Amino acid sequence: MSNHIVEAAPRGADCGADEVRVGSPARALRRVDKVLGVVTEVPSALLVVAEVGVLFSGVVSRYVLHTPLVWVDELASLLFIWLIMLGSAVAFRRGSHMRMTALVDKAGPEWHSVFELVATVAALTWLALVAAPAYEFASEETLVTMPALDISNAWRAAALPVGIVLILAMSVVRLLTTATPRAVLAALVVCGAVVVGLVQLQPLLQQLGNANLLLFFVGMVGLMVFSGVPIAFSFGLATVGYLSLTTSTPTIVVVGRMDEGMSHLILLAVPLFVFLGMLIEMTSMARAMVQFLANLLGHVRGGLSYVLIGAMYLVSGISGAKAADMAAVAPALFPEMKKRGADDGEMLALLAATGAQTETVPPSLVLITIGSVTSISIADLFTAGLLPGVVLAAMLAGVVWWRSRTAGAACSPRASWRAVGTSLLVAFPALALPFVIRAAVVEGVATATEVSTLGIVYAIVVGLLMYRKFDIRRIWPALVDTAALSGAILLIIGTATGMAWSLTQSGFASDLAAAMAKLPGGAAAFIAVSIVAFVLLGSVLEGIPAIVLFGPLLFPIARQLGIHEVHYSMVVVLAMGIGLFAPPFGVGYYAACAISRTRPGDGAHHIWRYLISLIVGTLVVAAVPWISIGFLSH
């Protein structure tokens, strides 16, 4: 999930500051916004620290002291749901929830403000519809007791209504600070008219049967996503609308499915690996790896392009977050590549392609999500993901070799073996981290969730003692950023789980399974259709929501057709990665543009040769299952 977000400042928070008079309504709204920021950012950052401490203490007590703490998982789960909801609120205030803005960005300034208003009203509508059911859900959880902690489960479930109310308040503040009263009134009237109209059409909708799936989950979701409504709220609103208008299912069920989808403890790896990625950049560990590769390959024609491919592979093995990977590698390499005459568009294209190349490299957040929703072993997925990344790296390297020969790229003097050896010694602690992480999981020292805490402690110790680049002032912003990014990702998983449950209850799952199983060509045709489908899904939904929605539907079919579930995982993740970084819709491509400070159009005509090589590599992985499962223990 991959998680490809370019964060924005809170919209409207600083607008017209010099013109706002003390005591005016706008000034009061600014104060409310700041209070909401403090109320969400401070506890969410502290929750990240608490989760690291709780899980690390669990590892130490079990593996070192041989006295397991039975309450660790329950406490971690309780803190986790609060982290998700408060982090989602932080992301909403910053305007950094995942959304598809390719079409919105092409609109003029007057239309851009209209789309922003639509997005806010859509979010507000969904929040208003689920606020009461969320409170009801938390109230019912008072009857459940957490056995190890011996407290009511309402302490955990209360995070849902509290988080929803906080985001609801933020959406109201945003409406009042970013639009005129007339525009706000018009938007609310239109929204109310749409809701009333759908309610009036309820008898007709109930007669349509499964045709409602197309209306709500294709038509409504597509309209909202392409209008720039954040994906989480698009999924949530469509699901609530479908269940409320076409079934007798109470809305509280949606809240319960959201809670279930977000509460898998394995997903706690998402914020912890995101924070680890930020520490890697902060301690200069990524820069050390890049410098070693540059000394080793810089004298080869097109050598820094090979370095970019290798560095993205290594950094992906640490952080798991593509935006963090690109942000760590690009600033260290691009200035030198420009000095050697590299084209801005070519560098952007290769950066985006390497993002897609490394989607399976552990600890990929998409792999963690697959393990969560399909019950496939995370350790097997981590082991299987290494070689497919190498295959795609070889494909990209072939394109670089061909391009460097025809373009006549400049070479730098060969670094001395002494310089190579010195940079290897400097980079060794950073290069060792991916192997430490994998060994800890395989040897049973820590689970896939806990192992990230070992990486965090390792990065802090190495940063303080060896690289001495640990800037304590950057810790707090990194914690808040971690909470915001994690909340944005995990809220999507929650609402997508509700949508997936609705699809299953409608009978769509069984119909899809029957249709896919009857494809002519058997397993090969199923994999081919899956590749095309997930390329398209990756370009619109990104990897994590696509997996949550369709993983439970398609993985059982793959098993029925005799396809190894780990092999199928690698194929669909690679396919989604290609869609994610393919213009014009791929969100990852625009994240690469922002990080490289290059216009999207500059790389669009360069990236296709790299995407073609990635497609060829994906077909090779699909055709040769051993690449994915050859190193698994049987």
Side-chain angles (χ1 to χ4, degrees), residues 48 66 83 227 297 371 441 552 587 600:
V48 176
H66 304 291
L83 172 60
S227 298
L297 298 172
V441 175
V587 179

PDB file of all heavy atoms in Angstrom, residues 48 66 83 227 297 371 441 552 587 600:
ATOM      1  N   VAL A  48       2.106   6.348  18.813  1.00  0.00           N
ATOM      2  CA  VAL A  48       3.147   5.664  18.040  1.00  0.00           C
ATOM      3  C   VAL A  48       4.275   5.222  18.969  1.00  0.00           C
ATOM      4  O   VAL A  48       4.757   4.081  18.908  1.00  0.00           O
ATOM      5  CB  VAL A  48       3.688   6.572  16.918  1.00  0.00           C
ATOM      6  CG1 VAL A  48       4.843   5.883  16.187  1.00  0.00           C
ATOM      7  CG2 VAL A  48       2.592   6.933  15.927  1.00  0.00           C
ATOM      8  N   HIS A  66      12.141 -14.897  28.698  1.00  0.00           N
ATOM      9  CA  HIS A  66      11.359 -16.139  28.667  1.00  0.00           C
ATOM     10  C   HIS A  66      10.145 -16.093  29.598  1.00  0.00           C
ATOM     11  O   HIS A  66       9.727 -17.103  30.156  1.00  0.00           O
ATOM     12  CB  HIS A  66      12.242 -17.340  29.033  1.00  0.00           C
ATOM     13  CG  HIS A  66      13.455 -17.477  28.165  1.00  0.00           C
ATOM     14  ND1 HIS A  66      13.391 -17.835  26.841  1.00  0.00           N
ATOM     15  CD2 HIS A  66      14.782 -17.268  28.443  1.00  0.00           C
ATOM     16  CE1 HIS A  66      14.604 -17.866  26.322  1.00  0.00           C
ATOM     17  NE2 HIS A  66      15.471 -17.514  27.276  1.00  0.00           N
ATOM     18  N   LEU A  83      -4.943   4.990  17.584  1.00  0.00           N
ATOM     19  CA  LEU A  83      -3.955   5.561  16.668  1.00  0.00           C
ATOM     20  C   LEU A  83      -4.551   5.732  15.274  1.00  0.00           C
ATOM     21  O   LEU A  83      -4.348   6.759  14.613  1.00  0.00           O
ATOM     22  CB  LEU A  83      -2.723   4.663  16.620  1.00  0.00           C
ATOM     23  CG  LEU A  83      -1.651   4.996  15.568  1.00  0.00           C
ATOM     24  CD1 LEU A  83      -1.103   6.400  15.770  1.00  0.00           C
ATOM     25  CD2 LEU A  83      -0.526   3.965  15.610  1.00  0.00           C
ATOM     26  N   SER A 227     -13.938  12.669  -8.784  1.00  0.00           N
ATOM     27  CA  SER A 227     -14.204  14.057  -8.380  1.00  0.00           C
ATOM     28  C   SER A 227     -13.246  14.522  -7.287  1.00  0.00           C
ATOM     29  O   SER A 227     -13.358  15.656  -6.823  1.00  0.00           O
ATOM     30  CB  SER A 227     -15.650  14.189  -7.890  1.00  0.00           C
ATOM     31  OG  SER A 227     -16.566  13.889  -8.912  1.00  0.00           O
ATOM     32  N   LEU A 297      29.540   1.551  -8.811  1.00  0.00           N
ATOM     33  CA  LEU A 297      29.050   1.499 -10.191  1.00  0.00           C
ATOM     34  C   LEU A 297      29.106   2.829 -10.927  1.00  0.00           C
ATOM     35  O   LEU A 297      28.751   2.899 -12.102  1.00  0.00           O
ATOM     36  CB  LEU A 297      27.591   1.009 -10.202  1.00  0.00           C
ATOM     37  CG  LEU A 297      27.337  -0.398  -9.664  1.00  0.00           C
ATOM     38  CD1 LEU A 297      25.850  -0.655  -9.558  1.00  0.00           C
ATOM     39  CD2 LEU A 297      27.995  -1.441 -10.563  1.00  0.00           C
ATOM     40  N   GLY A 371      -1.445 -10.580   3.728  1.00  0.00           N
ATOM     41  CA  GLY A 371      -1.422 -11.541   4.820  1.00  0.00           C
ATOM     42  C   GLY A 371      -2.577 -11.345   5.771  1.00  0.00           C
ATOM     43  O   GLY A 371      -3.137 -12.319   6.300  1.00  0.00           O
ATOM     44  N   VAL A 441      12.235 -12.531  11.757  1.00  0.00           N
ATOM     45  CA  VAL A 441      10.934 -13.155  11.480  1.00  0.00           C
ATOM     46  C   VAL A 441      11.098 -14.652  11.255  1.00  0.00           C
ATOM     47  O   VAL A 441      10.372 -15.477  11.832  1.00  0.00           O
ATOM     48  CB  VAL A 441      10.267 -12.490  10.254  1.00  0.00           C
ATOM     49  CG1 VAL A 441       8.987 -13.220   9.885  1.00  0.00           C
ATOM     50  CG2 VAL A 441       9.967 -11.032  10.537  1.00  0.00           C
ATOM     51  N   PRO A 552     -10.183 -11.170  -0.820  1.00  0.00           N
ATOM     52  CA  PRO A 552     -11.039 -12.253  -0.316  1.00  0.00           C
ATOM     53  C   PRO A 552     -11.866 -12.924  -1.406  1.00  0.00           C
ATOM     54  O   PRO A 552     -12.324 -14.052  -1.228  1.00  0.00           O
ATOM     55  CB  PRO A 552     -11.945 -11.529   0.697  1.00  0.00           C
ATOM     56  CG  PRO A 552     -11.180 -10.317   1.103  1.00  0.00           C
ATOM     57  CD  PRO A 552     -10.434  -9.892  -0.124  1.00  0.00           C
ATOM     58  N   VAL A 587      -1.298   7.230  -8.913  1.00  0.00           N
ATOM     59  CA  VAL A 587      -0.968   8.188  -7.858  1.00  0.00           C
ATOM     60  C   VAL A 587       0.524   8.179  -7.557  1.00  0.00           C
ATOM     61  O   VAL A 587       1.123   9.205  -7.273  1.00  0.00           O
ATOM     62  CB  VAL A 587      -1.773   7.862  -6.581  1.00  0.00           C
ATOM     63  CG1 VAL A 587      -1.440   8.832  -5.459  1.00  0.00           C
ATOM     64  CG2 VAL A 587      -3.260   7.897  -6.873  1.00  0.00           C
ATOM     65  N   PRO A 600       4.905  16.444 -14.465  1.00  0.00           N
ATOM     66  CA  PRO A 600       4.450  15.127 -14.932  1.00  0.00           C
ATOM     67  C   PRO A 600       4.654  14.905 -16.430  1.00  0.00           C
ATOM     68  O   PRO A 600       5.026  13.811 -16.856  1.00  0.00           O
ATOM     69  CB  PRO A 600       2.959  15.122 -14.568  1.00  0.00           C
ATOM     70  CG  PRO A 600       2.856  16.052 -13.405  1.00  0.00           C
ATOM     71  CD  PRO A 600       3.876  17.136 -13.662  1.00  0.00           C
TER      72      PRO A 600
END
